[in-house]
Amino acid sequence: MQLLRRIGLVLLWLAAPVVAFAAANKNDPYLLPLRGAGNIALAVASIMIVTVLLRRKHWRSTAGKLLVMLWCLPPVLMSAAHLKFELRKHDVLAASPAEARQLGPHFMVGYPSYPEVARLAEEGLIGGVYVTRHNIRGRTVEALRAELAALQDIRRAAGLPPLVVAADQEGGIVGHLAPPLTKVPALATLSGLAPDDQQAKAQEFGRIHGRELAGLGVNLNLAPVLDLKPPTRRNRLDFHTLIGQRAIATDPAVVSTIASAYVRGLEESGVGATLKHFPGIGRVRTDTHHFSANLDAPVKELEATDWLPFREVLSHSRSALMVGHVTLTAVDPDRAASHSKRVVEGIIRDTWNYQGVVMTDDLVMGAIYQHDVCKAAVEAINAGVDLLLVAYDGAQFYRVFACALNGSRRGKLDAAMLRASAARLERGFPTEQARAALLTRSTLEIARAAPRAMARGG
């Protein structure tokens, strides 16, 4: 019995700093699973442990007093972290209408709470929303469709432009709304077909995605992936990028052919495409969801290979361009491409003359968030990025928006860049077509027709 008590005390000493760290960082994206009930459980467990330690008179010794104090910390640190979050949230929600109009259109957010995102939409603090698994889990397609329509109604009543509504339906392993939407194979499965068959099947895949997304109220798909398939296996720490399974092919011409046809299928349904992840992550072994990553290839080599599909598809579509969080060392070794003026303005805008919508990859990814996300947000806007994506953890919107708001108030934002970006956003997406598309056909009918259409394509 004495041995068990000693083991228990050792475990309490080891657990106390871990729990305190988790409490102090309760709002960190990595601790998202602990939010809500998890935080309450930590606080209750800490209080119970303190109570047991006091009843057993551990406070009489110096070591015992220290242990009691350590277990008193988690609720205090958690309260302080919550207060900091609420103060930042209050500051964002108190932004003036002029500040909201200036900055709001440049933010796209994922959301777990409809009432909260409805307020952001009504006050013009966001320009778009991102829907994913948790928005559809345990719900019907009709419920999510009604929710998105209600958000657009709120915008209309407030005299604001429609929201950009984005989803991530690539096909294959990335299809965050499938089920209940149709699960379409990865575009990579088409790479071995004859060119005509590649185009026919890819366009049909795009139509299936486009019709279902448009019927739901989604007007922007975060697809297709244009990174070239890596010639070697990724490292074992690649838990989320998995580009080898998502990339279409190693041959830029094949990627261009399939991606172009897929984009045509999407656009026929009034849904915009997003080409990702420029400047390319096929050569990068590091998972930017968690770590910084460098792309060390020379620009001339990238222009002749990795960038060919991007330029080809952009030349004959209205696609948006997503910039990833890899550092293009030959152009700007000091910051990721997603907030590099040399990359966005120097290459995409000036060299390529692309004047469409550029968006960041999710700013909650470790390659950005675990560094100076405030600096990245300001630099991205000043570089000519149009949309800042805060997808995985929508609560981080308040932190990122506060960064931009503070930058604006301190005169650190380029007003000319903001005006040019606002003009691009205004003409950038076929939102009205998407809202009007397929309203006479139910998503269920489309889902039944999709497998037959794929079967006919061979």
Side-chain angles (χ1 to χ4, degrees):
M1 194 65 174
Q2 193 69 20
L3 178 62
L4 290 176
R5 287 181 178 176
R6 288 181 178 177
I7 292 174
L9 282 173
V10 169
L11 291 176
L12 286 178
W13 276 105
L14 293 174
V18 174
V19 175
F21 178 83
N25 295 278
K26 65 181 287 291
N27 295 316
D28 190 277
Y30 278 106
L31 298 178
L32 181 59
L34 288 179
R35 301 251 179 96
N39 285 333
I40 294 172
L42 280 181
V44 171
S46 299
I47 294 170
M48 290 177 64
I49 289 170
V50 169
T51 301
V52 170
L53 289 173
L54 291 174
R55 284 185 176 179
R56 294 187 176 180
K57 305 185 187 307
H58 284 281
W59 54 272
R60 289 183 174 179
S61 66
T62 301
K65 288 177 182 176
L66 180 58
L67 185 59
V68 169
M69 290 175 62
L70 280 175
W71 279 101
C72 285
L73 279 177
V76 175
L77 294 173
M78 193 175 293
S79 298
H82 184 71
L83 178 61
K84 181 179 179 181
F85 173 82
E86 289 298 328
L87 289 173
R88 180 183 287 147
K89 179 178 176 180
H90 177 270
D91 189 41
V92 168
L93 294 175
S96 70
E99 290 172 324
R101 283 194 300 272
Q102 182 190 50
L103 299 176
H106 304 282
F107 284 85
M108 177 185 288
V109 298
Y111 68 95
S113 166
Y114 172 78
E116 189 164 358
V117 79
R119 180 176 180 182
L120 298 178
E122 183 175 23
E123 296 187 10
L125 291 167
I126 56 174
V129 294
Y130 167 77
V131 292
T132 187
R133 291 187 184 95
H134 65 256
N135 297 106
I136 198 74
R137 188 180 294 122
R139 307 176 67 194
T140 64
V141 168
E142 289 72 20
L144 181 55
R145 181 192 298 123
E147 182 173 283
L148 295 175
L151 285 174
Q152 299 291 22
D153 290 340
I154 287 171
R155 296 286 284 193
R156 191 179 302 108
L160 295 167
L163 291 169
V164 177
V165 182
D168 207 349
Q169 292 288 94
E170 296 176 8
I173 63 171
V174 177
H176 295 164
L177 298 179
L181 301 189
T182 303
K183 189 171 179 60
V184 173
L187 292 175
T189 61
L190 309 180
S191 62
L193 302 178
D196 288 347
D197 293 332
Q198 288 175 350
Q199 292 185 58
K201 290 285 286 182
Q203 190 164 349
E204 184 59 31
F205 286 5
R207 288 194 191 103
I208 293 167
H209 277 159
R211 290 167 185 165
E212 293 191 352
L213 291 173
L216 190 59
V218 173
N219 48 48
L220 181 68
N221 192 16
L222 304 186
V225 168
L226 297 193
D227 310 283
L228 298 187
K229 189 179 287 289
T232 58
R233 293 180 61 185
R234 304 278 287 195
N235 66 53
R236 294 179 181 178
L237 296 178
D238 177 15
F239 302 114
H240 294 100
T241 299
L242 302 173
I243 202 63
Q245 299 179 53
R246 298 163 62 197
I248 296 172
T250 57
D251 184 345
V254 173
V255 175
S256 298
T257 297
I258 292 175
S260 295
Y262 175 80
V263 169
R264 284 198 300 273
L266 276 179
E267 292 185 342
E268 285 174 8
S269 304
V271 175
T274 308
L275 314 183
K276 60 187 188 184
H277 312 78
F278 184 81
I281 57 177
R283 299 170 183 254
V284 178
R285 291 180 56 80
T286 308
D287 186 347
T288 53
H289 288 83
H290 307 287
F291 311 104
S292 299
N294 290 339
L295 176 58
D296 296 322
V299 169
K300 285 187 177 180
E301 182 179 338
L302 293 169
E303 284 276 15
T305 52
D306 299 53
W307 294 355
L308 287 176
F310 289 99
R311 299 197 70 171
E312 172 65 19
V313 181
L314 286 176
S315 69
H316 56 254
S317 73
R318 298 184 62 193
S319 300
L321 179 64
M322 178 183 285
V323 185
H325 300 316
V326 298
T327 300
L328 184 57
T329 54
V331 176
D332 190 344
D334 299 321
R335 56 186 54 78
S338 55
H339 56 106
S340 168
K341 193 177 184 74
R342 295 180 191 173
V343 172
V344 177
E345 185 177 41
I347 295 175
I348 299 171
R349 302 293 188 204
D350 293 344
T351 302
W352 292 9
N353 196 32
Y354 172 68
Q355 300 306 318
V357 172
V358 172
M359 66 187 300
T360 70
D361 205 343
D362 190 359
L363 292 177
V364 182
M365 292 166 66
I368 295 294
Y369 192 85
Q370 300 304 326
H371 295 84
D372 193 341
V373 70
C374 262
K375 180 181 178 183
V378 170
E379 288 187 346
I381 291 172
N382 289 340
V385 172
D386 304 301
L387 281 173
L388 306 184
L389 178 62
V390 183
Y392 170 70
D393 181 4
Q396 303 308 324
F397 160 76
Y398 296 106
R399 179 181 179 186
V400 181
F401 191 95
C403 295
L405 188 62
N406 183 55
S408 176
R409 290 171 176 173
R410 296 173 63 183
K412 291 187 175 182
L413 294 186
D414 188 326
M417 281 291 189
L418 282 166
R419 286 193 298 271
S421 180
R424 286 190 293 268
L425 288 171
E426 188 174 344
R427 65 175 184 266
F429 298 108
T431 54
E432 288 307 314
Q433 298 96 306
R435 279 181 55 80
L438 304 175
L439 292 182
T440 59
R441 295 185 60 190
S442 71
T443 302
L444 182 60
E445 290 173 332
I446 299 166
R448 283 200 295 261
R452 294 198 297 270
M454 286 191 287
R456 287 196 301 272

